[in-house]
Amino acid sequence: MINVAIVGYGNLGRGVRSALEKNGDMKFTTLFTRRPEQLSKEFNDVPVLSSEKIALPKDLKIDVAILCGGSKEDTPVQGPVFAHLFNTVDSYDNHSNIPGHYQKMNDIAGKNGHVSIISTGWDPGIYSLERVLGDAFLPGSKNYTFWGTGVSQGHSDAARKVKGVIDARQYTIPVDSALQKVRAGQTPEFTKKEMHKRVVYVVAEEGADRNKIAKEIITMPAYYADYITEVNFITKEEMAKNHAALPHGGFVLTSGITGENTRQITEYRCQLQSNPEFTGSVLVACARAAFRLQQQGSKGAFTMLDIPPALLSPHSAVELRSYFM
Amino acid sequence: MINVAIVGYGNLGRGVRSALEKNGDMKFTTLFTRRPEQLSKEFNDVPVLSSEKIALPKDLKIDVAILCGGSKEDTPVQGPVFAHLFNTVDSYDNHSNIPGHYQKMNDIAGKNGHVSIISTGWDPGIYSLERVLGDAFLPGSKNYTFWGTGVSQGHSDAARKVKGVIDARQYTIPVDSALQKVRAGQTPEFTKKEMHKRVVYVVAEEGADRNKIAKEIITMPAYYADYITEVNFITKEEMAKNHAALPHGGFVLTSGITGENTRQITEYRCQLQSNPEFTGSVLVACARAAFRLQQQGSKGAFTMLDIPPALLSPHSAVELRSYFM
């Protein structure tokens, strides 16, 4: 049995808890949170501890800590703290800072004899893996990642900050004609707006200038200005009824040439009804791998590119060769 | 530079040779074949040696031997012979015998300090990997593998053996409505004929009884009887013009539930204009991994489930973390 601590109990933390119940070889043993007093009422059978002032009771059983906080403020702080104490898994998703995060976690985990698997989930994570596989099997190929249809928290938050906006939800939508071009063997250089469009649902304050709100969202640099964006105003009730789920997904395509001019295309796709539940499930598989890597004598930081895939699986090597090959 | 020998020079051997030219860190250094005298005319710059009576010149440079013969008669014989001498990669595809092949290769490679990566290619190989990943990320999920549209050599050969048939080419075609059901979140138990249909193009002898040929193909046990099969009679010229290529591909779908009832679906697809060229390209990436595994001190047999994916890539770990995550 692999004993797992969850660090942070938002959407992702709940997804990890739910995934642990579906993995018979793993057990949820400890919750670390910023609000232990509040959450301890919800949990009868696991200790609920502060993630900020860490004091560890003697009989705690933790093989791996899964970090479920945000990449902006939580993981950069909690990563080093927990890698000092336990094997860790995180979903750090600031792509450009991954090399720096790797270095930091590799130092601390390495020094403490722990394994830290960083930047897991589906992107970064599975999609990173699929990009590397596509490139390895088709050298010199072109890679395309399309995201969606799904909710982007970052873009939703950005729209929510516009004056007069009470609530907002942004869907990233892949442009189907672009996807079809790649599937048909074309390898264009797309602009951002040729690959994705953005659809925003907004609950506005009563009396707010809707045209002004829409214009401010559509022209917002970094988040919206480079895309075709559609803004729809809806009621608070519609928001609650139709936009409470957090679906996501997308496509990784690799298009390359072998021989003289032979087109070869690989494609990976996720269709997720709940991004945090699926991400949680991936993190749990990675926690299994982290535990096994440490058992094998490994230490330091790993990404999903560095893990023998069999270590992610609940099945033995013999079972995998017999039933999955 | 990784020095690679090719063992067997049919479609797959040619695919490997072509793939080696696209991988700057690898070099084709030796050909082993059953017909060295015949083939040595084609190769000025690499030694062409007998694969049956193996005599190795002193200055031979071989880090990995890629076995490109058939799974029925060649690999079971050549595998042990070459694993004794070198690291090897093979595409052994008799799924039910993979555990036995693993055991045999693991013993021999292990005793001789070599690494043998077995049963690589796309299925078994990449598709095996995708089945394992899908199952690890979505425990209790259902897995569906659809093949095609593509040429099945085994089914083509079977049709070719029918009396009155000069030549035959069989295309395996996934049933689109079945695929769409899985994509839409249904998880039916399909019969064989609900997932795939078979289309055969036949060149018949002049005066042969076409109805009899068609009936014999359609009712052939193991190969055709469980499917809906369409038989088309064409001329030798049409066969040469329209059916010379060896396209293939297919889909691996994993459909599972997280949380209470949240549907999550992953899908991997290959669209291959040439099956042997793509398979060759995958074998070459695995040869890189075999070499690196041995350099790291590993020995024995591996499948693609046992290899850290980064080892397949021509790029360094730092490059992968910077540009592919």
Side-chain angles (χ1 to χ4, degrees):
Chain A
M1 196 62 79
I2 303 169
N3 300 300
V4 176
I6 295 173
V7 183
Y9 201 63
N11 284 332
L12 181 55
R14 279 190 289 276
V16 168
R17 184 190 186 187
S18 161
L20 287 171
E21 286 165 16
K22 295 198 191 296
N23 284 274
D25 59 337
M26 315 193 74
K27 196 178 169 191
F28 171 38
T29 63
T30 315
L31 177 65
F32 291 94
T33 168
R34 270 205 206 87
R35 32 190 187 119
E37 275 141 52
Q38 185 188 337
L39 283 176
S40 59
K41 292 164 211 157
E42 263 188 57
F43 294 87
N44 295 319
D45 46 356
V46 299
V48 178
L49 306 174
S50 167
S51 58
E52 296 180 299
K53 296 181 186 175
I54 296 178
L56 301 178
K58 270 226 161 135
D59 56 347
L60 221 52
K61 281 188 184 168
I62 299 174
D63 296 310
V64 188
I66 302 183
L67 310 182
C68 301
S71 292
K72 206 167 175 184
E73 291 172 359
D74 300 324
T75 307
V77 177
Q78 294 173 340
V81 171
F82 281 86
H84 197 272
L85 299 166
F86 311 109
N87 299 312
T88 66
V89 170
D90 71 51
S91 62
Y92 185 77
D93 68 357
N94 183 336
H95 290 259
S96 63
N97 280 345
I98 287 174
H101 182 58
Y102 173 88
Q103 211 53 60
K104 195 165 65 175
M105 295 297 279
N106 190 47
D107 286 349
I108 296 167
K111 272 179 197 149
N112 291 281
H114 295 136
V115 167
S116 288
I117 307 185
I118 67 155
S119 301
T120 74
W122 59 276
D123 195 356
I126 310 176
Y127 280 25
S128 319
L129 177 59
E130 297 292 344
R131 286 188 282 266
V132 169
L133 292 176
D135 176 79
F137 300 142
L138 294 169
S141 54
K142 270 189 84 84
N143 173 274
Y144 297 90
T145 303
F146 291 88
W147 294 277
T149 297
V151 173
S152 162
Q153 300 281 20
H155 290 82
S156 299
D157 290 347
R160 237 173 253 130
K161 283 177 189 156
V162 170
K163 190 161 178 284
V165 172
I166 297 174
D167 197 5
R169 187 66 45 107
Q170 190 269 180
Y171 293 89
T172 307
I173 299 174
V175 175
D176 192 58
S177 59
L179 179 62
Q180 297 307 339
K181 274 182 192 164
V182 179
R183 279 189 179 154
Q186 294 181 46
T187 52
E189 295 285 342
F190 292 118
T191 61
K192 286 182 182 179
K193 76 168 70 171
E194 285 171 338
M195 289 184 76
H196 296 98
K197 62 179 181 179
R198 304 196 177 278
V199 174
V200 193
Y201 293 89
V202 173
V203 180
E205 286 169 8
E206 218 183 293
D209 182 341
R210 293 185 168 197
N211 286 335
K212 204 176 158 219
I213 289 174
K215 195 180 168 193
E216 200 169 324
I217 292 175
I218 286 167
T219 58
M220 194 185 292
Y223 287 94
Y224 290 101
D226 295 336
Y227 300 88
I228 291 166
T229 300
E230 180 187 308
V231 178
N232 304 284
F233 290 91
I234 59 174
T235 63
K236 204 186 282 190
E237 291 71 29
E238 285 174 303
M239 181 65 85
K241 189 179 162 213
N242 302 326
H243 304 284
L246 294 168
H248 219 317
F251 306 80
V252 174
L253 292 111
T254 304
S255 182
I257 292 288
T258 59
E260 288 307 303
N261 198 21
T262 312
R263 177 64 55 189
Q264 317 273 22
I265 302 171
T266 66
E267 176 179 338
Y268 182 84
R269 179 185 188 185
C270 285
Q271 282 188 77
L272 311 175
Q273 284 189 344
S274 162
N275 181 356
E277 285 185 10
F278 183 72
T279 302
S281 203
V282 176
L283 265 62
V284 165
C286 290
R288 177 183 292 120
F291 176 74
R292 290 174 172 175
L293 283 167
Q294 194 204 28
Q295 296 281 94
Q296 293 176 2
S298 293
K299 59 184 181 177
F302 292 73
T303 68
M304 289 181 74
L305 310 178
D306 308 310
I307 306 171
L311 297 187
L312 299 163
S313 173
H315 306 294
S316 71
V318 170
E319 288 172 326
L320 293 179
R321 284 194 293 273
S322 300
Y323 306 117
F324 288 83
M325 285 296 293
Chain B
M1 193 64 78
I2 304 170
N3 299 300
V4 176
I6 295 174
V7 183
Y9 201 64
N11 283 331
L12 181 55
R14 281 191 288 275
V16 168
R17 185 190 184 186
S18 160
L20 287 170
E21 286 165 15
K22 294 197 192 295
N23 284 274
D25 58 338
M26 314 194 74
K27 196 177 168 192
F28 171 38
T29 64
T30 315
L31 177 64
F32 291 93
T33 167
R34 270 204 207 88
R35 39 197 177 111
E37 275 141 51
Q38 187 189 336
L39 282 176
S40 58
K41 291 163 210 155
E42 263 188 57
F43 294 86
N44 296 318
D45 45 357
V46 300
V48 178
L49 306 174
S50 168
S51 57
E52 297 181 297
K53 298 181 185 175
I54 297 177
L56 302 178
K58 273 227 158 129
D59 56 347
L60 221 51
K61 282 189 185 165
I62 300 174
D63 296 308
V64 188
I66 302 184
L67 310 182
C68 301
S71 291
K72 205 166 175 187
E73 292 172 358
D74 300 324
T75 307
V77 177
Q78 293 173 341
V81 170
F82 281 86
H84 196 272
L85 299 166
F86 312 109
N87 299 311
T88 66
V89 171
D90 71 52
S91 61
Y92 185 76
D93 68 358
N94 183 335
H95 290 258
S96 63
N97 282 342
I98 287 173
H101 181 56
Y102 173 87
Q103 213 50 61
K104 196 165 65 176
M105 296 296 281
N106 191 47
D107 287 349
I108 297 167
K111 276 180 194 147
N112 291 282
H114 295 135
V115 168
S116 288
I117 307 185
I118 67 156
S119 301
T120 72
W122 58 278
D123 194 357
I126 310 176
Y127 280 25
S128 319
L129 177 58
E130 297 293 345
R131 286 187 284 265
V132 169
L133 293 177
D135 176 79
F137 301 142
L138 294 169
S141 53
K142 271 188 83 81
N143 173 274
Y144 297 90
T145 303
F146 291 88
W147 294 277
T149 297
V151 173
S152 160
Q153 300 281 18
H155 289 81
S156 299
D157 290 345
R160 237 174 252 130
K161 281 175 190 156
V162 170
K163 192 163 176 284
V165 172
I166 297 174
D167 198 4
R169 188 65 45 105
Q170 190 270 180
Y171 294 89
T172 306
I173 300 174
V175 174
D176 192 57
S177 59
L179 179 61
Q180 297 307 340
K181 274 182 191 162
V182 179
R183 279 190 180 153
Q186 295 180 46
T187 53
E189 295 285 341
F190 292 119
T191 60
K192 285 181 182 179
K193 77 170 65 172
E194 285 171 337
M195 289 184 76
H196 295 99
K197 62 179 179 179
R198 303 196 176 279
V199 175
V200 193
Y201 293 89
V202 173
V203 180
E205 286 170 8
E206 219 184 290
D209 182 341
R210 294 185 169 196
N211 286 335
K212 204 176 154 215
I213 290 174
K215 196 180 165 193
E216 201 169 326
I217 292 174
I218 287 168
T219 59
M220 194 185 294
Y223 287 94
Y224 291 101
D226 295 338
Y227 301 88
I228 291 166
T229 300
E230 179 187 310
V231 178
N232 304 283
F233 291 91
I234 60 172
T235 64
K236 201 184 284 190
E237 291 70 31
E238 284 174 304
M239 181 66 84
K241 190 180 161 208
N242 302 327
H243 304 283
L246 294 168
H248 220 315
F251 305 80
V252 174
L253 292 112
T254 304
S255 181
I257 293 287
T258 59
E260 288 307 302
N261 198 21
T262 312
R263 177 64 55 189
Q264 316 273 23
I265 302 170
T266 66
E267 175 178 340
Y268 182 83
R269 179 185 189 185
C270 285
Q271 282 188 77
L272 310 175
Q273 283 190 343
S274 162
N275 181 356
E277 283 183 11
F278 184 71
T279 302
S281 203
V282 176
L283 265 64
V284 165
C286 289
R288 175 184 293 119
F291 175 75
R292 290 174 172 174
L293 283 167
Q294 195 204 28
Q295 298 278 97
Q296 293 176 2
S298 294
K299 60 185 180 177
F302 292 73
T303 68
M304 289 180 74
L305 310 177
D306 308 309
I307 306 169
L311 297 187
L312 299 162
S313 172
H315 307 294
S316 71
V318 171
E319 287 172 328
L320 293 179
R321 283 195 293 272
S322 302
Y323 305 118
F324 288 84
M325 285 297 292

